[in-house]
Amino acid sequence: MGVDPNCIFCKIVAGQIPSFRLFEDVASLAFMDINPANEGHCLVIAKPHHPTLYDMPPDLLAAVSATVLKVAKAVEAALKPDGLNLVQSNGKGAAQSVPHFHVHVLPRRLGDNLKINWEPKPGDRAAIAAVAERIKAKL
Ligand code: 5GP
Ligand code: ZN
């Protein structure tokens, strides 16, 4: 299994750093975020070290996603939040601070004012179509 000896999440997987573990299987580990944005904020990580989404083997992403679903349902049942976001960040522009693939399971409360939401504003149709073509060319 890929391990980066300098990676904080690899150390958590190995049990070298303590964490509040929620669940694990062969591919994934869920534990509480040590700097919770809201009560119940937790993380689901891939056990092997892959820095970003782009590095993830699809079957590993599927396995992590199954754990995300399991944990999100447990958070919903335990805490009855008003909503719940999944947040997954890649790269500096997305404010990724730990370069080991992870998904935030983030319970939301009405009025919590977390800065991850935006007001939808209609886009320019021609610009949307043009960027769609650029993305489709890479699929
Ligand atoms: P990112 O900014 O990369 O999307 O999220 C990284 C998350 O990992 C942050 O929310 C941060 O609070 C959390 N984190 C960083 N170091 C540790 C740690 O040592 N233990 C735990 N449980 N969470 C951590
Ligand atoms: Zn790692």
Side-chain angles (χ1 to χ4, degrees), residues 4-46:
D4 178 340
N6 299 313
C7 170
I8 193 129
F9 285 179
C10 285
K11 289 179 184 173
I12 285 176
V13 171
Q16 294 162 353
I17 288 180
S19 64
F20 296 101
R21 289 182 177 231
L22 296 168
F23 175 82
E24 69 181 291
D25 59 19
V26 67
S28 66
L29 171 66
F31 56 95
M32 301 307 294
D33 195 303
I34 207 66
N35 308 299
N38 264 346
E39 183 188 38
H41 179 183
C42 49
L43 302 169
V44 181
I45 72 172

Side-chain angles (χ1 to χ4, degrees), residues 54-70:
Y54 316 121
D55 310 302
M56 285 286 283
D59 58 343
L60 181 58
L61 181 62
V64 172
S65 298
T67 300
V68 167
L69 178 58
K70 189 179 183 73

